[in-house]
C-alpha cells in the first residue's frame, strides 16, 4: 500500500521504511571530522599568525620592538589556548558519534548537518547556565578546583607542541629538554583538583568520587611512570622531539616495533649462529608491545576513561566529583578531562608511533616538507608533522572510545588489585629487562 | 604453580577482551537500528494498539456503532461513555472517550461486535490541555477512506449494510443462504 493514514485526521503521510546503508553513518562521520579538523587548524593558525606576524608588525610601526618580541614569544601559549577548546569540542562530538556507530544508533544528528554543531550548542548552553554554589561548600576550594584541574592540562601540552610543529619559528621555545618527564609530572597535578572539588562541594557522592580519584591516580601513576622510565632507558632520551626524530625512516623504525630494531628479527629464520641476535630482537619486540599496552592501560586509568571511570561512576555516585558543579565550572572539568585524554594519546603517538613522521622513508617526507616550505603564502612546513601527529592521536582516541564501547567498569577492589598486584610488578620487571637489553652491545 | 596460573589467566583475559572488541567493531558496520522519528515514521503492525477510533462502513458511510455499550462495560478505566439515541434503537447519539484515562489495553476493540471501535496506528496525540484529550464522536469517527484502509490493514471482515428492519431480515437471511 502506497499511502497509509498514520496521522489520520488531518494529513496523509507516505508509509516508507528508511534503511540507510551501513556505510552512510561512517561516511557522514568522516565528513564531519574533516570539517572539524579544518576549523581546529584554521582557528589555531589564524591566532598564531596574529601573534607571530601581524601584531609584531603593527607594534614595529611604533618602534615598540621589545614588546613585539614579547608578543611573538607568546604565540605558542595563545595557540594552545585556542587549540584546546576547539579540539575538546570536536573530541566530545567524536566520542558521541563513534559511540553511536558502535551501538548501532544514528548519534547526535539534530544540531547542524549531521550533528556538526552539537557540542558548540552544548558549550553555549553551559556558558549561559546559572553558576550555583551548594550550601555549606568551601567557597575558595570550590572555585579553585576547576582551575587546578584545567591549568596543568594546558601547561602539559607545551612540549607536545614543539614536537607537533617541528620547532617552527617561536615554537622552538616549547622544546623542553626534559619533555617526557615534564608531561608526566605536570599531568599528575589535576588529580588534586578532583580531590579538592569532591571535598569542597559538601556532598557525599562528590567526596567519595574525589577520594576514589586520589587512590586511583596514585595507583596508576606508578606503572605509567615506570613504563616511561623503561622507555627512557631504551630510547636514551627524555626530549620528546628527539624521541620522535629517532623514529624517522618508515614504519619499522617506530618504537612500538622493537624500538627500531626490527631488522634483527631477520637473523632468526635460518637457525644457526646468528639466531641469538634474532632472539634479542624478538625480546625487544615483545618488550615494546608490552610497554605500549601498559602505558595505554595506565594512562586510560589516569584520565578516568571508561573501564576505569570509578571517580564518576554514574550508576553509583551520581556523577562523582563534578556532581555539584554547574555552568562554566562543569564545562572546565569537561574540557580538561578530554584534553587530558588528547594529551596522553599525543604522548603515546610521539613515544611509540613515530610522532609527526610519516610511516614512509625519509626521502618522501623530506620532499613534502621542502614543497611545503616554499608555499606561496609563506613557510607552512609545520603542517605535515602536526597533521600526522593529529591523525595518530585521533587513531588512539578511536581505540579508547572502542574500549569504552566494549568493556564494563571495574569493581573497586579489582581496580586496585590490577594495579598493585599486576601492573606495578610487571613494570618493575620491565625496567630490569630494559636495562639488561639496553646494555647488550651487538 | 601460582605464577603459571597468572600467565594463563592473562592470556585468557587478553583473548576474551580481543574477542569482545572484535564483536563491537563489527557493529560499526551495521545500519542503525534507530530511526530519525519525525522525518521517518516507524513501520507499525496492524495490531499495534494506539489511539482509539470509530469506523464507518467503507461502502455506505453508515456509522457502525450499534450502541450495545459492551465497550463501556468492559473498560477497566471507565473512560468510555456511550449515549444511545433515545428515539431510534441501535444508533448512537454521542460517544465520549477520555484518552487521558485510557491505558490502550484493547479490550473494547476485542469485545465490539461490529468492529466499530478499533485501535489505530496513530500515536501522535499530544495536546496542550487534558480537556483536549477527551474525544467526542466527531473526533473519534473516521472518514470512509480511512475506515476502508483500516478494514484492509487489520484484515477485518467487511461489514454488511445495516438492515432496515433488523428482525425480519435476520430471520430471512439464513433461509436465503440455504437455498
Amino acid at each position: 500500500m502506497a499511502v497509509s493514514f498514520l496521522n489520520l485526521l488531518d494529513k496523509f503521510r507516505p508509509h516508507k521504511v528508511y534503511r540507510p546503508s551501513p556505510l552512510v553513518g561512517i561516511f557522514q562521520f568522516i565528513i564531519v571530522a574533516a570539517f572539524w579538523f579544518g576549523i581546529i587548524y584554521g582557528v589555531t593558525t589564524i591566532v598564531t599568525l596574529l601573534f607571530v606576524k601581524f601584531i609584531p608588525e603593527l607594534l614595529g610601526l611604533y618602534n615598540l620592538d621589545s614588546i613585539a618580541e614579547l608578543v611573538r614569544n607568546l604565540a605558542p601559549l595563545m595557540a594552545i589556548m585556542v587549540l584546546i577548546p576547539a579540539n575538546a569540542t570536536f573530541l566530545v562530538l567524536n566520542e558521541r558519534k563513534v559511540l553511536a556507530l558502535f551501538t548501532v544508533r544514528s548519534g547526535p544528528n539534530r544540531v547542524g548537518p549531521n550533528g556538526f554543531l552539537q557540542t558548540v550548542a552544548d558549550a553555549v548552553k553551559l556558558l549561559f547556565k546559572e553558576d550555583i554554589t551548594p550550601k555549606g561548600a568551601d567557597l575558595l576550594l570550590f572555585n579553585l578546583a576547576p582551575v587546578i584541574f584545567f591549568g596543568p592540562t594546558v601547561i602539559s601540552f607545551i612540549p607536545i607542541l614543539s614536537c607537533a610543529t617541528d620547532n617552527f619559528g617561536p615554537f622552538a621555545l616549547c622544546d623542553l629538554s626534559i619533555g617526557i618527564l615534564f608531561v608526566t609530572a605536570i599531568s599528575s597535578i589535576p588529580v588534586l583538583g578532583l580531590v579538592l572539588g569532591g571535598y569542597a562541594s559538601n556532598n557525599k557522592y562528590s567526596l567519595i568520587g574525589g577520594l576514589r580519584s586520589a587512590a586511583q591516580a596514585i595507583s596508576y601513576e606508578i606503572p605509567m611512570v615506570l613504563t616511561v622510565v623503561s622507555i627512557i632507558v631504551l630510547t636514551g632520551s627524555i626530549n620528546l622531539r628527539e624521541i620522535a626524530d629517532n623514529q624517522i625512516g618508515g614504519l619499522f623504525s617506530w618504537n612500538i616495533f622493537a624500538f627500531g630494531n626490527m631488522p634483527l628479527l631477520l637473523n632468526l629464520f635460518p637457525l644457526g649462529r646468528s639466531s641469538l641476535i634474532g632472539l634479542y630482537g624478538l625480546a625487544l619486540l615483545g618488550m615494546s608491545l608490552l610497554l605500549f599496552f601498559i602505558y595505554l592501560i595506565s594512562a586510560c586509568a589516569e584520565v578516568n576513561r571508561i573501564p576505569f571511570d570509578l571517580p564518576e561512576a554514574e550508576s553509583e555516585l551520581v556523577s562523582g566529583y563534578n556532581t555539584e558543579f554547574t555552568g562554566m565550572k562543569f564545562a572546565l572539568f569537561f574540557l580538561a578531562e578530554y584534553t587530558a585524554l588528547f594529551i596522553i594519546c599525543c604522548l603515546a603517538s610521539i613515544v611509540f608511533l613515530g610522532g609527526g613522521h610519516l610511516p614512509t622513508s625519509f626521502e618522501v617526507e623530506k620532499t613534502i616538507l621542502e614543497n611545503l616550505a616554499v608555499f606561496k603564502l609563506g613557510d607552512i612546513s609545520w603542517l605535515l608533522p602536526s597533521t600526522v601527529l593529529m591523525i595518530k592521536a585521533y587513531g588512539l582516541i578511536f581505540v579508547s572510545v572502542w574500549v569504552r564501547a566494549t568493556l564494563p567498569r571495574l569493581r573497586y577492589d579489582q581496580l586496585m588489585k590490577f594495579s598493585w598486584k599486576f601492573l606495578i610488578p610487571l613494570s618493575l620487571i620491565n625496567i630490569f629487562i630494559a636495562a639488561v637489553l639496553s646494555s647488550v652491545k651487538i | 604453580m601460582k605464577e603459571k596460573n597468572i600467565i594463563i589467566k592473562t592470556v585468557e583475559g587478553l583473548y576474551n577482551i580481543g574477542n569482545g572488541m572484535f564483536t563491537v567493531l563489527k557493529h560499526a558496520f551495521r545500519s542503525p537500528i534507530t530511526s530519525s522519528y519525525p522525518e521517518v515514521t516507524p513501520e507499525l503492525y496492524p495490531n499495534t494498539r494506539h489511539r482509539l477510533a470509530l469506523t464507518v462502513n467503507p461502502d455506505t458511510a453508515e456509522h457502525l456503532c450499534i450502541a450495545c455499550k459492551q465497550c463501556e462495560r468492559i473498560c477497566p478505566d471507565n473512560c468510555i461513555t456511550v449515549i444511545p439515541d433515545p428515539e431510534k434503537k441501535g444508533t448512537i447519539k454521542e460517544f465520549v472517550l477520555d484518552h487521558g484515562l485510557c491505558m490502550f489495553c484493547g479490550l473494547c476493540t476485542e469485545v465490539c461486535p461490529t468492529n466499530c471501535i478499533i485501535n489505530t496506528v496513530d500515536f501522535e496525540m499530544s495536546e496542550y490541555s487534558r480537556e483536549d484529550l477527551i474525544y467526542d464522536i466527531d473526533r473519534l469517527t473516521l472518514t470512509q477512506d480511512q475506515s476502508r484502509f483500516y478494514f484492509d490493514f487489520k484484515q477485518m471482515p467487511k461489514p454488511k449494510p445495516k438492515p432496515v428492519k433488523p428482525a425480519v431480515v435476520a430471520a430471512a437471511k439464513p433461509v436465503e443462504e440455504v437455498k
Side-chain angles (χ1 to χ4, degrees), chain A residues 197-392:
Chain A
Y199 163 74
S201 53
N202 192 26
N203 178 331
K204 54 190 170 191
Y205 297 120
S206 300
L207 183 61
I208 294 172
L211 291 178
R212 276 186 183 186
S213 80
Q216 182 177 323
I218 290 168
S219 311
Y220 279 88
E221 207 140 80
I222 300 169
M224 189 174 153
V225 174
L226 291 181
T227 312
V228 167
V229 168
S230 323
I231 294 162
I232 293 168
V233 167
L234 283 166
T235 55
S237 171
I238 53 173
N239 184 338
L240 276 180
R241 206 177 48 76
E242 266 175 31
I243 293 176
D245 285 347
N246 285 340
Q247 302 172 50
I248 288 176
L251 189 67
F252 288 113
S253 57
W254 287 3
N255 276 347
I256 189 174
F257 295 115
F259 292 92
N261 290 323
M262 218 49 182
L264 291 184
L265 281 178
L266 292 175
N267 291 323
L268 208 60
F269 291 114
L271 278 174
R273 221 181 241 176
S274 60
S275 63
L276 210 61
I277 302 171
L279 276 178
Y280 171 72
L282 201 65
L284 268 177
L285 179 66
M287 185 74 186
S288 56
L289 287 174
L290 193 64
L291 285 178
F292 182 60
F293 283 113
I294 293 178
Y295 177 82
L296 276 193
I297 290 169
S298 48
C300 253
E302 178 81 14
V303 298
N304 307 328
R305 285 292 303 177
I306 258 205
F308 307 100
D309 69 331
L310 282 108
E312 47 184 310
E314 284 104 355
S315 45
E316 303 161 32
L317 309 173
V318 196
S319 179
Y321 57 86
N322 57 23
T323 307
E324 297 289 345
F325 288 90
T326 51
M328 201 54 227
K329 288 176 193 161
F330 178 74
L332 269 185
F333 269 116
F334 218 63
L335 201 68
E337 211 168 286
Y338 277 93
T339 310
L341 172 69
F342 186 64
I343 286 172
I344 59 147
C345 286
C346 275
L347 202 62
S349 44
I350 289 169
V351 171
F352 289 104
L353 303 179
H357 298 293
L358 287 171
T360 53
S361 61
F362 187 56
E363 281 75 38
V364 178
E365 205 184 318
K366 211 172 177 182
T367 41
I368 296 174
L369 279 174
E370 278 166 0
N371 284 326
L372 285 176
V374 291
F375 190 66
K376 275 176 201 164
L377 301 171
D379 188 2
I380 53 163
S381 59
W382 51 270
L383 201 61
L384 180 74
S386 56
T387 314
V388 172
L389 184 63
M390 198 85 162
I391 289 169
K392 281 171 184 171

Side-chain angles (χ1 to χ4, degrees), chain A residues 6 8 13 20 104 110 402, chain B residues 21 31 39 41 122 142 146:
Chain A
L6 279 177
L8 48 139
R13 179 174 279 189
V104 206
R110 292 284 152 200
W402 184 10
Chain B
M21 286 182 74
S31 56
E39 287 97 44
T41 45
D122 175 31
L142 302 175
Q146 291 165 350

Side-chain angles (χ1 to χ4, degrees), chain B residues 63-131:
Chain B
H63 206 288
L64 284 177
C65 185
I66 54 169
C68 63
K69 289 201 174 195
Q70 288 201 57
C71 47
E72 187 181 328
R73 245 172 279 135
I74 203 161
C75 183
D77 294 339
N78 293 329
C79 64
I80 303 175
T81 313
V82 183
I83 303 166
D85 198 341
E87 284 151 22
K88 198 179 173 189
K89 204 185 173 191
T91 50
I92 189 166
K93 190 183 174 191
E94 184 59 274
F95 195 107
V96 182
L97 201 151
D98 189 352
H99 270 117
L101 289 178
C102 182
M103 64 177 187
F104 305 99
C105 60
L107 287 174
C108 49
T109 63
E110 280 172 28
V111 86
C112 185
T114 57
N115 285 333
C116 177
I117 186 163
I118 55 164
N119 280 115
T120 62
V121 291
D122 175 31
F123 52 87
E124 293 164 332
M125 38 193 282
S126 51
E127 303 280 357
Y128 284 102
S129 71
R130 288 187 195 175
E131 286 72 33

Side-chain angles (χ1 to χ4, degrees), chain B residues 12-177:
Chain B
E12 274 180 356
L14 282 177
Y15 171 74
N16 287 329
I17 288 173
N19 210 350
M21 286 182 74
F22 181 63
T23 310
V24 170
L25 189 65
K26 278 193 288 188
H27 280 69
F29 299 99
R30 285 173 62 189
S31 56
I33 292 170
T34 53
S35 59
S36 325
Y37 157 60
E39 287 97 44
V40 184
T41 45
E43 184 190 22
L44 292 176
Y45 293 94
N47 44 3
T48 44
R49 301 201 298 264
H50 292 296
R51 198 183 63 173
L52 291 162
L54 301 175
T55 52
V56 297
N57 192 325
D59 302 324
T60 58
E62 288 174 306
H63 206 288
L64 284 177
C65 185
I66 54 169
C68 63
K69 289 201 174 195
Q70 288 201 57
C71 47
E72 187 181 328
R73 245 172 279 135
I74 203 161
C75 183
D77 294 339
N78 293 329
C79 64
I80 303 175
T81 313
V82 183
I83 303 166
D85 198 341
E87 284 151 22
K88 198 179 173 189
K89 204 185 173 191
T91 50
I92 189 166
K93 190 183 174 191
E94 184 59 274
F95 195 107
V96 182
L97 201 151
D98 189 352
H99 270 117
L101 289 178
C102 182
M103 64 177 187
F104 305 99
C105 60
L107 287 174
C108 49
T109 63
E110 280 172 28
V111 86
C112 185
T114 57
N115 285 333
C116 177
I117 186 163
I118 55 164
N119 280 115
T120 62
V121 291
D122 175 31
F123 52 87
E124 293 164 332
M125 38 193 282
S126 51
E127 303 280 357
Y128 284 102
S129 71
R130 288 187 195 175
E131 286 72 33
D132 290 345
L133 282 172
I134 302 170
Y135 282 42
D136 60 0
I137 189 162
D138 293 336
R139 289 178 78 189
L140 279 170
T141 308
L142 302 175
T143 65
Q144 209 172 335
D145 285 343
Q146 291 165 350
S147 302
R148 189 177 295 121
F149 167 74
Y150 276 108
F151 271 101
D152 292 341
F153 188 52
K154 290 177 176 284
Q155 294 178 348
M156 294 187 297
K158 278 274 165 63
K160 286 165 186 138
K162 237 179 204 176
V164 185
K165 291 170 187 173
V168 177
V169 178
K173 241 187 178 174
V175 183
E176 277 174 16
E177 278 174 13

